[in-house]
């Protein structure tokens, strides 16, 4: 990833959330939940196919979507694996 940050201009266009999974013993999925001002705006299921795997999801950011954002990675049971918060202004 380039330009990792916590604050982005409305002109950013698209943002990415990367996840590295290790130790998976069987194929599974990770879910990325995207929130804008505490409202879920997207959920992306990502297939994990090996014990050490990297994956990502992205979200197009419209200029009108200013405010606080959060992405939460969970397993299929809803257990939180990682969270990232950022602001679009």
């Amino acid at each position: 990833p380039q330009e990792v940050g916590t604050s982005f201009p409305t002109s950013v266009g698209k943002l990415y959330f990367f996840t590295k999974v290790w130790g998976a013993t069987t194929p599974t999925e990770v879910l990325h939940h995207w929130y804008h001002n505490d409202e879920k705006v997207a959920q992306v299921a990502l297939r994990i196919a090996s014990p050490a795997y990297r994956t990502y999801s992205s979200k197009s950011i419209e200029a009108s979507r200013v405010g606080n954002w959060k992405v939460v990675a969970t397993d299929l049971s809803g257990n939180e694996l990682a969270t990232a918060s950022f602001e679009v202004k």
Side-chain angles (χ1 to χ4, degrees):
Q2 294 180 347
E3 299 180 41
V4 175
T6 58
S7 183
F8 302 94
T10 56
S11 61
V12 70
K14 186 181 274 193
L15 291 171
Y16 298 84
F17 184 71
F18 289 84
T19 301
K20 180 179 178 181
V21 176
W22 58 94
T25 57
T26 60
T28 188
E29 289 184 344
V30 169
L31 303 174
H32 285 178
H33 308 267
W34 290 78
Y35 294 89
H36 175 242
N37 292 328
D38 294 323
E39 177 186 344
K40 187 187 277 189
V41 295
Q43 178 175 302
V44 182
L46 303 160
R47 183 164 156 60
I48 305 302
S50 68
Y53 202 80
R54 293 179 185 167
T55 189
Y56 68 92
S57 67
S58 64
K59 180 78 177 106
S60 294
I61 307 295
E62 300 167 14
S64 62
R65 293 282 191 143
V66 297
N68 296 313
W69 284 81
K70 174 173 67 172
V71 185
V72 180
T74 68
D75 63 16
L76 292 175
S77 297
N79 297 308
E80 187 174 314
L81 305 172
T83 301
S85 298
F86 57 94
E87 179 183 26
V88 174
K89 55 183 179 173

